[in-house]
Amino acid sequence: AQTVTQSQPEMSVQEAETVTLSCTYDTSESNYYLFWYKQPPSRQMILVIRQEAYKQQNATENRFSVNFQKAAKSFSLKISDSQLGDTAMYFCAFMKPESMDSNYQLIWGAGTKLIIKP
Amino acid sequence: DSGVTQTPKHLITATGQRVTLRCSPRSGDLSVYWYQQSLDQGLQFLIQYYNGEERAKGNILERFSAQQFPDLHSELNLSSLELGDSALYFCASTGAGRPQETQYFGPGTRLLVL
């Protein structure tokens, strides 16, 4: 069974600094999908960035980028020029590829609480 | 705003009661997923529907049930509620229920069982 591990329960950085959140996963699949979701204090679950495993190029969305290391099964999120509004829980999630059982549930990490200090 | 709506936003009830949570997917989306998030924890997948049919089941208790209606909205029914059922319940939707699609989440329903 697939698992997702986020080893940093909480992180804190100063505004404008760069921060990297780690995520590792375990799977025997060769193709799959990885996601970072953000959950601010409002508790809304918001997609930050996604990566398809067959793509070698790391995904980027403005200040957010990932370091996808397929062999190491690592999928870290880098936030550049951090802002107060980035304060949130960040969840890493895994989705397996299409299969006969059609069971497409996201497998979630436990989350990292990120605090951006002014 | 993801386009997914959930009602009610908050629900307070007593042990042993039954409640119904409602979700409307984004316009055009056929698949709905339900998740449970207990306090400061990750999400647990409960169940998925596609175009009215149950497609996948996760760790959903027998006291819980769900359905998706012809207009594609979905309802999650929780019965014989226990204190441990207090949680944030999310629904998410995708177009065709395929793994490569991003799941867009509603704002959640916060359930408190007293």
Side-chain angles (χ1 to χ4, degrees):
Chain A
Q2 293 90 356
T3 58
V4 177
T5 302
Q6 293 181 249
S7 58
Q8 305 150 311
E10 185 169 323
M11 298 185 71
S12 179
V13 298
Q14 295 292 138
E15 193 176 9
E17 289 183 348
T18 293
V19 60
T20 298
L21 310 182
S22 67
C23 172
T24 58
Y25 56 93
D26 187 26
T27 183
S28 58
E29 304 282 355
S30 59
N31 190 27
Y32 43 85
Y33 310 91
L34 295 164
F35 304 83
W36 279 99
Y37 280 88
K38 162 185 176 180
Q39 189 176 38
S42 66
R43 305 302 295 272
Q44 173 81 50
M45 197 66 75
I46 302 165
L47 176 72
V48 176
I49 200 165
R50 58 173 282 159
Q51 175 83 40
E52 289 81 6
Y54 64 86
K55 290 186 178 178
Q56 293 187 342
Q57 187 171 7
N58 289 325
T60 299
E61 288 286 341
N62 301 313
R63 298 182 295 107
F64 299 86
S65 61
V66 298
N67 183 5
F68 174 48
Q69 301 287 329
K70 192 173 183 180
K73 296 180 182 175
S74 171
F75 182 59
S76 60
L77 175 69
K78 185 172 91 170
I79 305 174
S80 304
D81 185 26
S82 58
Q83 300 174 359
L84 297 179
D86 295 333
T87 292
M89 282 288 287
Y90 286 81
F91 292 96
C92 178
F94 170 98
M95 172 68 82
K96 70 176 188 181
E98 210 144 2
S99 64
M100 294 297 291
D101 67 10
S102 302
N103 187 342
Y104 303 129
Q105 57 172 292
L106 284 167
I107 307 299
W108 298 82
T112 295
K113 184 175 184 179
L114 177 64
I115 300 170
I116 308 299
K117 297 181 289 187
Chain B
D1 185 355
S2 66
V4 179
T5 61
Q6 288 187 249
T7 57
K9 286 189 177 176
H10 302 276
L11 202 47
I12 301 174
T13 188
T15 54
Q17 295 298 304
R18 172 190 170 94
V19 297
T20 297
L21 313 183
R22 181 187 170 108
C23 167
S24 292
R26 295 186 315 161
S27 177
D29 281 359
L30 299 178
S31 191
V32 170
Y33 302 76
W34 285 97
Y35 293 90
Q36 178 193 56
Q37 184 182 30
S38 299
L39 187 64
D40 290 332
Q41 292 185 14
L43 277 68
Q44 295 292 321
F45 169 71
L46 295 177
I47 198 164
Q48 179 203 0
Y49 279 84
Y50 172 74
N51 204 20
E53 302 275 332
E54 180 185 305
R55 176 171 274 185
K57 241 177 183 177
N59 298 322
I60 188 167
L61 300 171
E62 285 192 12
R63 299 183 286 108
F64 296 1
S65 64
Q67 59 184 130
Q68 186 179 27
F69 294 86
D71 68 352
L72 301 175
H73 90 272
S74 179
E75 293 181 357
L76 179 66
N77 300 296
L78 316 177
S79 61
S80 302
L81 285 167
E82 302 175 357
L83 295 179
D85 297 328
S86 295
L88 189 54
Y89 291 85
F90 285 105
C91 79
S93 75
T94 66
R98 299 182 69 188
Q100 59 266 47
E101 297 173 304
T102 294
Q103 294 185 20
Y104 291 95
F105 284 76
T109 292
R110 189 185 297 268
L111 173 65
L112 180 60
V113 183
L114 300 175

